[in-house]
Amino acid sequence: NVSYKVKTKRGRFVFQCLSRIFNEKVIEDYENVQSYLRTNGLNVPVLLRGLDNKSYVKEDDKIWRVFEFIDHDSISQITPKLSYEAGKILGKFHKIMYTFEFQPKFKLEGFHDTKSILKRLNTLIKNPIYQSKTKIAETEINFINNNISNYYQSPESEKIIIHADPKLANFLFKKGRIIALLDLDTMMFNNPLIDIGDALRSWCRLKPATSIFRKEIFEAALKGYNFESVYKYTKKDAKKAMSLLTLELSCRYLNDYFEENYFSFKSEKYKTRAEQNLTRCKRYLEYFKNFNKN
């Protein structure tokens, strides 16, 4: 999504244009959960309605919506204290959703479907037009194929509504406390460990653009999560989930290394999309190796 902070005589707002991968159903889903979350003590931004009482506007095939703006601090690097707070909020979200009878109407096909993502990679490498690319990325392709199945979640594991994109930017901080959770567009029915693995994959990597694992962030975040959630996970559980989500993202980068049509292109840093995606894949595989040493 593309978001704009807008100042008006009536106050400050977030004006947002939805990515084309979403449709009106994500807005309906948000309306169905926002009051429930807020009533149960988890703050999310209020989605505003227009004069026609609709909560979105469609213009030139684009969907626009407006949220209240929540004043917050800018966070460039997470600390153990902040990761503990973020873990608590993720645990609280899972605890609330554990008792909430809700099924999202929007579904992003293939999202966090690791086996499908891997299958896509193995289809791409068989395509004759990608043979030169395949040879260049042979080491990374083999590493993912040889390791990812070791971390699959059991199909019998319990499932609830998860956030599915718990990156740090989706948590708003103020004076060291989290004041709101953002971006519920990817909510889905899945194992809570998918959220934990994705969060830890994101939070525990030293920024910017390194492969260094921050063990103190991992431990603080998991402690916060277990304090608040109805689920209690061991370090082994969390590390396995983190491994799965790191390899899954690496695989997604490889897929876009071939197709060059998904991840936004940082032209100021890379010559081509292919170079960008292969570089990111390599970096995350190094990260995977680093945190599995600890």
Side-chain angles (χ1 to χ4, degrees):
N1 301 334
V2 179
S3 303
Y4 303 90
K5 179 181 175 183
V6 179
K7 295 182 180 180
T8 75
K9 292 180 180 179
R10 296 188 180 186
R12 294 178 295 172
F13 306 92
V14 176
F15 196 40
Q16 192 173 69
C17 180
L18 291 188
S19 166
R20 293 187 183 275
I21 65 174
F22 298 118
N23 58 37
E24 295 91 333
K25 291 180 181 179
V26 300
I27 296 178
E28 187 177 345
D29 287 339
Y30 191 89
E31 290 185 313
N32 285 331
V33 303
Q34 69 171 343
S35 61
Y36 184 79
L37 290 171
R38 291 169 67 92
T39 300
N40 283 276
L42 201 160
N43 190 33
V44 295
V46 174
L47 180 64
L48 305 180
R49 292 179 177 269
L51 296 176
D52 58 0
N53 204 37
K54 290 184 177 180
S55 50
Y56 68 91
V57 172
K58 198 164 187 179
E59 187 75 26
D60 295 331
D61 230 16
K62 295 180 179 179
I63 300 173
W64 296 82
R65 62 185 175 186
V66 180
F67 289 103
E68 64 168 340
F69 176 80
I70 300 175
D71 189 43
H72 60 281
D73 297 331
S74 178
I75 303 295
S76 58
Q77 191 72 259
I78 196 167
T79 65
K81 181 181 177 181
L82 296 181
S83 65
Y84 177 81
E85 293 297 322
K88 282 176 63 178
I89 291 299
L90 185 60
K92 188 169 189 173
F93 179 80
H94 287 172
K95 181 167 65 176
I96 293 171
M97 288 303 184
Y98 177 76
T99 58
F100 188 33
E101 294 183 5
F102 164 71
Q103 185 66 46
K105 293 186 177 180
F106 177 79
K107 182 178 181 181
L108 193 56
E109 292 296 332
F111 193 54
H112 287 318
D113 184 346
T114 310
K115 293 180 181 180
S116 175
I117 294 167
L118 182 64
K119 183 179 179 181
R120 180 63 183 163
L121 173 64
N122 287 318
T123 298
L124 289 169
I125 64 178
K126 293 175 184 176
N127 191 323
I129 68 171
Y130 293 137
Q131 287 311 294
S132 60
K133 279 187 172 183
T134 298
K135 188 171 181 60
I136 293 170
E138 187 175 16
T139 299
E140 291 72 33
I141 293 166
N142 289 340
F143 187 88
I144 290 172
N145 269 311
N146 291 337
N147 287 278
I148 198 167
S149 63
N150 296 327
Y151 303 99
Y152 287 158
Q153 298 293 331
S154 167
E156 286 79 38
S157 60
E158 186 170 0
K159 293 180 173 60
I160 60 169
I161 299 300
I162 66 170
H163 185 282
D165 189 19
K167 60 188 177 186
L168 191 61
N170 285 332
F171 296 76
L172 295 187
F173 293 87
K174 189 73 173 180
K175 296 180 180 179
R177 302 296 297 273
I178 294 179
I179 55 173
L181 180 65
L182 307 182
D183 192 3
L184 305 182
D185 295 339
T186 53
M187 286 186 300
M188 63 189 298
F189 197 60
N190 213 322
N191 187 335
L193 278 165
I194 296 298
D195 264 355
I196 294 172
D198 206 20
L200 295 174
R201 170 203 62 76
S202 172
W203 304 350
C204 301
R205 179 169 162 253
L206 184 66
K207 305 295 192 306
T210 72
S211 301
I212 298 173
F213 170 60
R214 300 182 67 194
K215 185 178 180 181
E216 72 278 11
I217 301 299
F218 174 90
E219 293 177 347
L222 185 60
K223 183 178 179 180
Y225 179 88
N226 284 335
F227 176 83
E228 191 68 45
S229 179
V230 295
Y231 301 100
K232 311 298 176 186
Y233 294 115
T234 65
K235 291 180 183 179
K236 184 178 179 180
D237 295 329
K239 187 69 72 71
K240 180 179 178 181
M242 185 179 171
S243 297
L244 176 68
L245 272 295
T246 302
L247 291 176
E248 180 188 286
L249 180 58
S250 301
C251 191
R252 290 175 62 205
Y253 280 135
L254 269 189
N255 288 348
D256 206 40
Y257 159 73
F258 289 107
E259 297 180 302
E260 302 186 48
N261 62 9
Y262 183 78
F263 291 105
S264 58
F265 179 43
K266 307 292 184 182
S267 58
E268 69 280 6
K269 292 182 65 176
Y270 302 98
K271 294 179 182 178
T272 65
R273 287 179 181 268
E275 178 194 3
Q276 169 187 280
N277 289 315
L278 184 57
T279 300
R280 289 176 172 177
C281 172
K282 289 181 177 181
R283 192 177 293 138
Y284 265 98
L285 292 182
E286 282 303 310
Y287 178 53
F288 170 88
K289 294 171 187 176
N290 285 344
F291 69 69
N292 274 296
K293 289 178 184 177
N294 292 275

Coordinates of all heavy atoms in Angstrom, one line a residue, residues 122-190:
N122 N 10.8 -24.3 -8.1 CA 11.3 -25.5 -8.8 C 10.6 -25.6 -10.2 O 11.2 -26.3 -11.1 CB 11.0 -26.7 -8.0 CG 12.0 -26.8 -6.8 OD1 13.2 -26.6 -7.0 ND2 11.5 -27.2 -5.6
T123 N 9.6 -24.9 -10.4 CA 9.0 -24.8 -11.8 C 9.8 -23.8 -12.6 O 10.1 -24.0 -13.8 CB 7.5 -24.3 -11.7 OG1 6.8 -25.3 -11.0 CG2 7.0 -24.1 -13.1
L124 N 10.2 -22.7 -12.0 CA 10.9 -21.6 -12.7 C 12.3 -22.1 -13.1 O 12.7 -21.8 -14.2 CB 11.1 -20.4 -11.8 CG 9.8 -19.6 -11.5 CD1 10.1 -18.6 -10.4 CD2 9.4 -18.9 -12.7
I125 N 13.0 -22.9 -12.3 CA 14.3 -23.3 -12.7 C 14.3 -24.3 -13.8 O 15.4 -24.6 -14.4 CB 15.1 -23.9 -11.4 CG1 14.4 -25.1 -10.9 CG2 15.2 -22.8 -10.4 CD1 15.2 -25.8 -9.7
K126 N 13.2 -24.9 -14.1 CA 13.1 -25.8 -15.2 C 12.8 -25.1 -16.5 O 12.8 -25.7 -17.6 CB 12.0 -26.9 -14.9 CG 12.3 -27.8 -13.8 CD 11.2 -28.7 -13.5 CE 11.5 -29.6 -12.2 NZ 10.3 -30.4 -11.8
N127 N 12.5 -23.8 -16.5 CA 12.1 -23.1 -17.7 C 13.4 -22.8 -18.4 O 14.3 -22.2 -17.9 CB 11.4 -21.8 -17.2 CG 10.8 -21.1 -18.4 OD1 11.4 -21.0 -19.5 ND2 9.7 -20.4 -18.2
P128 N 13.5 -23.1 -19.7 CA 14.7 -22.9 -20.5 C 15.2 -21.5 -20.5 O 16.4 -21.2 -20.6 CB 14.3 -23.4 -21.9 CG 13.2 -24.4 -21.6 CD 12.5 -23.9 -20.5
I129 N 14.2 -20.5 -20.5 CA 14.6 -19.1 -20.6 C 15.4 -18.6 -19.3 O 16.0 -17.6 -19.3 CB 13.4 -18.2 -20.8 CG1 12.5 -18.1 -19.6 CG2 12.6 -18.6 -22.1 CD1 11.4 -17.1 -19.7
Y130 N 15.3 -19.4 -18.3 CA 16.0 -19.0 -17.0 C 17.3 -19.8 -16.7 O 17.8 -19.8 -15.6 CB 15.0 -19.2 -15.8 CG 13.9 -18.2 -15.9 CD1 12.6 -18.7 -15.5 CD2 14.0 -16.9 -16.2 CE1 11.5 -17.8 -15.5 CE2 12.9 -16.0 -16.2 CZ 11.7 -16.5 -15.9 OH 10.6 -15.6 -15.9
Q131 N 17.8 -20.5 -17.7 CA 18.9 -21.4 -17.4 C 20.2 -20.7 -17.0 O 20.9 -21.2 -16.1 CB 19.2 -22.3 -18.6 CG 18.2 -23.4 -18.9 CD 17.9 -24.2 -17.6 OE1 18.7 -24.9 -17.1 NE2 16.6 -24.1 -17.1
S132 N 20.4 -19.5 -17.5 CA 21.6 -18.8 -17.1 C 21.5 -18.3 -15.7 O 22.4 -18.3 -14.9 CB 21.9 -17.6 -18.1 OG 20.8 -16.7 -18.1
K133 N 20.3 -17.8 -15.4 CA 20.0 -17.3 -14.0 C 20.1 -18.5 -13.0 O 20.6 -18.4 -11.9 CB 18.6 -16.7 -13.9 CG 18.6 -15.3 -14.4 CD 17.2 -14.7 -14.1 CE 17.1 -13.2 -14.4 NZ 15.8 -12.6 -14.1
T134 N 19.6 -19.6 -13.4 CA 19.6 -20.8 -12.5 C 21.0 -21.2 -12.2 O 21.3 -21.5 -11.0 CB 18.9 -22.0 -13.2 OG1 17.5 -21.7 -13.5 CG2 18.9 -23.2 -12.4
K135 N 21.9 -21.2 -13.2 CA 23.3 -21.5 -12.9 C 23.9 -20.6 -11.9 O 24.7 -21.0 -11.0 CB 24.1 -21.5 -14.2 CG 25.5 -22.1 -14.1 CD 26.1 -22.3 -15.4 CE 27.5 -22.9 -15.3 NZ 27.5 -24.2 -14.6
I136 N 23.6 -19.3 -12.0 CA 24.2 -18.3 -11.1 C 23.7 -18.5 -9.7 O 24.5 -18.3 -8.8 CB 23.8 -16.8 -11.6 CG1 24.5 -16.6 -13.0 CG2 24.2 -15.8 -10.6 CD1 24.0 -15.3 -13.7
A137 N 22.5 -18.9 -9.5 CA 21.9 -19.0 -8.2 C 21.8 -20.4 -7.7 O 21.1 -20.8 -6.8 CB 20.5 -18.4 -8.2
E138 N 22.6 -21.3 -8.3 CA 22.5 -22.7 -8.0 C 22.8 -23.1 -6.6 O 22.1 -23.9 -6.0 CB 23.6 -23.5 -8.9 CG 23.5 -25.0 -8.8 CD 24.4 -25.7 -9.8 OE1 25.3 -25.0 -10.3 OE2 24.2 -26.9 -10.0
T139 N 23.7 -22.4 -5.9 CA 24.0 -22.6 -4.5 C 22.9 -22.3 -3.6 O 22.5 -23.1 -2.7 CB 25.3 -21.8 -4.1 OG1 26.4 -22.2 -4.9 CG2 25.6 -22.0 -2.6
E140 N 22.2 -21.2 -3.9 CA 21.1 -20.7 -3.1 C 19.9 -21.6 -3.3 O 19.2 -22.0 -2.3 CB 20.7 -19.3 -3.4 CG 21.7 -18.3 -2.9 CD 23.0 -18.3 -3.8 OE1 23.0 -18.6 -5.0 OE2 24.1 -18.0 -3.2
I141 N 19.6 -22.0 -4.5 CA 18.5 -22.9 -4.9 C 18.7 -24.3 -4.1 O 17.7 -24.8 -3.5 CB 18.4 -23.1 -6.4 CG1 18.0 -21.8 -7.1 CG2 17.4 -24.2 -6.7 CD1 18.3 -21.9 -8.6
N142 N 19.9 -24.8 -4.2 CA 20.1 -26.1 -3.6 C 20.0 -26.0 -2.0 O 19.5 -26.9 -1.4 CB 21.5 -26.6 -4.0 CG 21.6 -27.1 -5.4 OD1 20.5 -27.3 -6.0 ND2 22.8 -27.1 -6.0
F143 N 20.5 -24.9 -1.5 CA 20.4 -24.8 0.0 C 19.0 -24.8 0.5 O 18.6 -25.4 1.4 CB 21.1 -23.5 0.4 CG 21.2 -23.4 1.9 CD1 22.3 -23.9 2.6 CD2 20.2 -22.7 2.7 CE1 22.4 -23.8 4.0 CE2 20.3 -22.6 4.0 CZ 21.4 -23.2 4.7
I144 N 18.1 -24.0 -0.2 CA 16.7 -23.9 0.2 C 16.0 -25.3 0.0 O 15.3 -25.7 0.9 CB 16.0 -22.8 -0.6 CG1 16.5 -21.4 -0.2 CG2 14.5 -22.9 -0.5 CD1 16.0 -20.3 -1.1
N145 N 16.2 -25.9 -1.1 CA 15.6 -27.2 -1.4 C 16.1 -28.3 -0.4 O 15.3 -29.1 0.0 CB 15.9 -27.7 -2.8 CG 14.9 -27.2 -3.8 OD1 13.7 -27.4 -3.6 ND2 15.3 -26.6 -4.9
N146 N 17.3 -28.2 0.1 CA 17.8 -29.2 1.0 C 17.5 -29.0 2.4 O 17.6 -29.9 3.3 CB 19.4 -29.2 0.9 CG 19.8 -29.8 -0.5 OD1 19.1 -30.5 -1.1 ND2 21.0 -29.4 -0.9
N147 N 17.0 -27.8 2.8 CA 16.8 -27.4 4.2 C 15.3 -27.1 4.6 O 14.9 -27.4 5.7 CB 17.7 -26.3 4.6 CG 19.1 -26.7 4.7 OD1 19.6 -27.2 5.7 ND2 19.9 -26.4 3.6
I148 N 14.6 -26.5 3.7 CA 13.3 -25.9 4.1 C 12.3 -26.9 4.7 O 11.6 -26.6 5.6 CB 12.7 -25.1 2.9 CG1 11.6 -24.1 3.4 CG2 12.1 -26.0 1.8 CD1 11.2 -23.1 2.4
S149 N 12.3 -28.1 4.1 CA 11.3 -29.1 4.6 C 11.6 -29.6 6.0 O 10.7 -30.1 6.7 CB 11.3 -30.4 3.7 OG 12.6 -31.0 3.7
N150 N 12.7 -29.3 6.6 CA 13.1 -29.6 8.0 C 12.3 -28.8 9.0 O 12.2 -29.1 10.1 CB 14.6 -29.5 8.2 CG 15.4 -30.4 7.4 OD1 15.0 -31.5 7.1 ND2 16.6 -29.9 7.1
Y151 N 11.7 -27.7 8.5 CA 11.0 -26.7 9.4 C 9.5 -26.6 9.1 O 8.9 -25.7 9.7 CB 11.7 -25.4 9.2 CG 13.2 -25.5 9.5 CD1 14.1 -25.5 8.4 CD2 13.7 -25.5 10.8 CE1 15.5 -25.7 8.7 CE2 15.1 -25.6 11.0 CZ 15.9 -25.7 10.0 OH 17.3 -25.8 10.2
Y152 N 9.0 -27.4 8.3 CA 7.5 -27.3 8.0 C 6.7 -27.5 9.4 O 7.1 -28.3 10.2 CB 7.0 -28.4 7.1 CG 7.5 -28.1 5.6 CD1 7.5 -29.2 4.7 CD2 7.8 -26.9 5.2 CE1 7.9 -29.0 3.4 CE2 8.1 -26.6 3.8 CZ 8.2 -27.7 3.0 OH 8.5 -27.5 1.6
Q153 N 5.6 -26.8 9.5 CA 4.8 -26.9 10.6 C 3.9 -28.2 10.4 O 3.5 -28.5 9.3 CB 3.9 -25.7 10.8 CG 4.7 -24.4 11.1 CD 5.4 -24.4 12.4 OE1 4.9 -25.1 13.4 NE2 6.5 -23.7 12.5
S154 N 3.5 -28.8 11.5 CA 2.6 -29.9 11.4 C 1.2 -29.5 10.9 O 0.7 -28.5 11.4 CB 2.4 -30.6 12.8 OG 1.4 -31.5 12.8
P155 N 0.6 -30.2 10.0 CA -0.7 -29.9 9.5 C -1.8 -30.0 10.5 O -2.9 -29.4 10.4 CB -0.9 -30.9 8.3 CG 0.0 -32.0 8.6 CD 1.2 -31.4 9.3
E156 N -1.5 -30.7 11.6 CA -2.4 -30.8 12.7 C -2.4 -29.7 13.8 O -3.1 -29.7 14.7 CB -2.2 -32.2 13.5 CG -2.7 -33.4 12.7 CD -1.7 -33.8 11.6 OE1 -0.5 -33.7 11.9 OE2 -2.2 -34.2 10.5
S157 N -1.4 -28.8 13.6 CA -1.2 -27.7 14.6 C -2.5 -26.8 14.6 O -3.2 -26.6 13.6 CB 0.0 -26.9 14.2 OG -0.1 -26.3 12.9
E158 N -2.7 -26.2 15.8 CA -3.9 -25.4 16.0 C -3.8 -24.1 15.1 O -2.7 -23.6 14.9 CB -4.0 -25.0 17.5 CG -5.3 -24.2 17.8 CD -5.5 -24.1 19.3 OE1 -4.7 -24.6 20.1 OE2 -6.5 -23.5 19.6
K159 N -4.9 -23.7 14.7 CA -4.9 -22.5 13.8 C -5.9 -21.4 14.4 O -7.0 -21.8 14.9 CB -5.3 -22.8 12.4 CG -4.3 -23.7 11.7 CD -4.7 -24.0 10.2 CE -3.6 -24.7 9.5 NZ -3.1 -26.0 10.1
I160 N -5.5 -20.2 14.3 CA -6.4 -19.1 14.6 C -6.2 -18.0 13.6 O -5.5 -18.2 12.6 CB -6.0 -18.5 16.0 CG1 -4.5 -18.0 16.0 CG2 -6.2 -19.5 17.1 CD1 -4.2 -17.2 17.2
I161 N -6.9 -16.8 13.7 CA -6.6 -15.7 12.9 C -5.3 -15.1 13.3 O -5.2 -14.6 14.5 CB -7.8 -14.7 12.9 CG1 -9.1 -15.3 12.5 CG2 -7.4 -13.4 12.1 CD1 -9.1 -15.8 11.1
I162 N -4.3 -15.0 12.4 CA -3.1 -14.4 12.7 C -2.9 -13.1 11.9 O -3.7 -12.8 11.0 CB -1.9 -15.3 12.4 CG1 -1.8 -15.6 10.9 CG2 -2.0 -16.6 13.2 CD1 -0.5 -16.3 10.5
H163 N -2.0 -12.3 12.3 CA -1.7 -11.0 11.6 C -1.1 -11.2 10.3 O -1.5 -10.6 9.3 CB -0.8 -10.1 12.5 CG -0.6 -8.7 12.0 ND1 0.3 -8.4 11.0 CD2 -1.1 -7.5 12.4 CE1 0.3 -7.1 10.8 NE2 -0.6 -6.6 11.6
A164 N -0.1 -12.0 10.2 CA 0.6 -12.4 9.0 C 1.6 -11.4 8.4 O 2.2 -11.7 7.4 CB -0.4 -12.9 7.9
D165 N 1.7 -10.3 9.0 CA 2.8 -9.3 8.6 C 3.3 -8.5 9.8 O 3.2 -7.3 9.8 CB 2.3 -8.4 7.5 CG 3.4 -7.6 6.9 OD1 4.6 -7.9 7.0 OD2 3.1 -6.5 6.2
P166 N 3.8 -9.2 10.8 CA 4.1 -8.5 12.1 C 5.5 -7.8 12.1 O 6.3 -7.9 13.0 CB 4.1 -9.6 13.1 CG 4.5 -10.8 12.4 CD 4.0 -10.6 11.0
K167 N 5.8 -7.1 11.0 CA 7.1 -6.4 11.0 C 7.0 -5.2 11.9 O 5.9 -4.8 12.3 CB 7.4 -5.9 9.5 CG 6.3 -4.9 9.0 CD 6.6 -4.7 7.5 CE 5.5 -3.8 6.9 NZ 5.6 -3.6 5.5
L168 N 8.2 -4.7 12.3 CA 8.3 -3.7 13.3 C 7.5 -2.4 13.0 O 6.9 -1.8 13.8 CB 9.7 -3.3 13.6 CG 10.0 -2.5 14.8 CD1 9.6 -3.2 16.1 CD2 11.5 -2.1 14.9
A169 N 7.5 -2.1 11.7 CA 6.8 -0.9 11.2 C 5.3 -0.9 11.5 O 4.6 0.1 11.4 CB 7.0 -0.7 9.7
N170 N 4.7 -2.1 11.7 CA 3.3 -2.3 12.0 C 3.0 -2.1 13.5 O 1.8 -2.4 13.9 CB 2.8 -3.6 11.4 CG 2.6 -3.5 9.9 OD1 2.4 -2.4 9.4 ND2 2.8 -4.6 9.3
F171 N 4.0 -1.8 14.3 CA 3.8 -1.5 15.7 C 4.1 0.0 16.0 O 5.2 0.4 15.7 CB 4.6 -2.4 16.6 CG 4.3 -3.9 16.5 CD1 4.7 -4.6 15.4 CD2 3.6 -4.5 17.5 CE1 4.5 -6.0 15.3 CE2 3.3 -5.9 17.4 CZ 3.8 -6.6 16.3
L172 N 3.2 0.7 16.5 CA 3.5 2.1 16.8 C 3.9 2.3 18.3 O 3.2 1.8 19.2 CB 2.2 3.0 16.5 CG 1.8 3.1 15.1 CD1 0.6 4.1 15.0 CD2 2.9 3.4 14.1
F173 N 5.0 2.9 18.5 CA 5.6 3.1 19.8 C 5.5 4.6 20.3 O 5.5 5.5 19.4 CB 7.1 2.8 19.8 CG 7.4 1.3 19.6 CD1 7.5 0.8 18.3 CD2 7.5 0.4 20.6 CE1 7.8 -0.5 18.1 CE2 7.8 -0.9 20.4 CZ 7.9 -1.4 19.1
K174 N 5.3 4.8 21.6 CA 5.3 6.1 22.2 C 5.9 6.0 23.6 O 5.3 5.2 24.4 CB 3.9 6.7 22.2 CG 3.8 8.1 22.7 CD 4.3 9.0 21.5 CE 4.1 10.5 21.9 NZ 4.6 11.4 20.8
K175 N 7.0 6.6 23.8 CA 7.7 6.6 25.1 C 8.0 5.2 25.5 O 7.7 4.8 26.7 CB 6.9 7.4 26.1 CG 6.8 8.9 25.8 CD 6.0 9.6 26.8 CE 5.9 11.1 26.5 NZ 5.2 11.9 27.5
G176 N 8.4 4.3 24.6 CA 8.8 2.9 25.0 C 7.6 2.0 25.1 O 7.9 0.8 25.4
R177 N 6.4 2.4 24.9 CA 5.3 1.5 24.9 C 4.6 1.4 23.6 O 4.6 2.4 22.8 CB 4.3 2.0 26.0 CG 4.8 2.1 27.4 CD 5.3 0.8 27.9 NE 4.1 -0.2 28.1 CZ 3.4 -0.2 29.2 NH1 3.6 0.6 30.2 NH2 2.4 -1.1 29.2
I178 N 3.9 0.3 23.3 CA 3.2 0.2 22.0 C 1.8 0.8 22.2 O 1.1 0.4 23.1 CB 3.2 -1.2 21.5 CG1 4.6 -1.7 21.2 CG2 2.2 -1.4 20.3 CD1 4.7 -3.1 20.7
I179 N 1.4 1.7 21.3 CA 0.1 2.3 21.4 C -0.8 1.9 20.3 O -2.0 2.2 20.4 CB 0.3 3.9 21.4 CG1 1.0 4.3 20.1 CG2 1.0 4.4 22.6 CD1 1.1 5.8 19.9
A180 N -0.4 1.2 19.3 CA -1.3 0.7 18.3 C -0.6 -0.4 17.4 O 0.6 -0.4 17.2 CB -1.8 1.8 17.4
L181 N -1.5 -1.2 16.9 CA -1.1 -2.3 15.9 C -1.7 -1.9 14.6 O -2.9 -1.6 14.5 CB -1.6 -3.6 16.3 CG -1.2 -4.8 15.5 CD1 0.3 -5.1 15.4 CD2 -2.0 -6.1 15.9
L182 N -0.9 -1.9 13.5 CA -1.3 -1.5 12.2 C -1.4 -2.7 11.2 O -1.0 -3.8 11.5 CB -0.3 -0.5 11.6 CG 0.1 0.7 12.4 CD1 1.0 1.6 11.6 CD2 -1.1 1.5 12.8
D183 N -2.1 -2.4 10.1 CA -2.0 -3.2 8.9 C -2.6 -4.6 9.1 O -1.8 -5.6 9.2 CB -0.6 -3.3 8.3 CG -0.6 -3.9 6.9 OD1 -1.7 -4.2 6.4 OD2 0.5 -4.1 6.3
L184 N -3.9 -4.8 9.1 CA -4.5 -6.1 9.2 C -5.0 -6.6 7.9 O -5.8 -7.6 7.8 CB -5.8 -5.9 10.2 CG -5.5 -5.3 11.5 CD1 -6.8 -5.3 12.4 CD2 -4.4 -6.1 12.3
D185 N -4.5 -6.1 6.8 CA -4.9 -6.5 5.5 C -4.6 -8.0 5.2 O -5.3 -8.6 4.3 CB -4.3 -5.7 4.4 CG -4.7 -4.2 4.5 OD1 -5.8 -4.0 5.1 OD2 -4.0 -3.3 4.0
T186 N -3.6 -8.5 5.8 CA -3.1 -9.9 5.5 C -3.6 -10.9 6.5 O -3.1 -12.1 6.5 CB -1.6 -10.0 5.4 OG1 -1.0 -9.4 6.5 CG2 -1.1 -9.2 4.1
M187 N -4.6 -10.6 7.3 CA -5.1 -11.5 8.3 C -5.5 -12.8 7.6 O -6.0 -12.8 6.6 CB -6.3 -10.9 9.0 CG -6.0 -9.9 10.0 SD -7.5 -9.4 11.0 CE -8.6 -8.8 9.6
M188 N -5.1 -13.9 8.3 CA -5.4 -15.2 7.7 C -5.6 -16.3 8.8 O -5.1 -16.1 10.0 CB -4.3 -15.6 6.8 CG -3.0 -15.8 7.4 SD -1.6 -16.0 6.2 CE -2.1 -17.5 5.4
F189 N -6.2 -17.4 8.5 CA -6.3 -18.5 9.4 C -5.1 -19.4 9.3 O -4.9 -20.0 8.2 CB -7.6 -19.3 9.0 CG -8.1 -20.2 10.0 CD1 -8.5 -19.7 11.3 CD2 -8.3 -21.5 9.8 CE1 -9.0 -20.5 12.2 CE2 -8.8 -22.4 10.8 CZ -9.2 -21.9 12.0
N190 N -4.3 -19.4 10.3 CA -3.0 -20.2 10.3 C -2.5 -20.4 11.7 O -3.0 -19.9 12.7 CB -2.0 -19.4 9.4 CG -1.1 -20.4 8.6 OD1 -0.7 -21.4 9.1 ND2 -0.8 -20.0 7.4

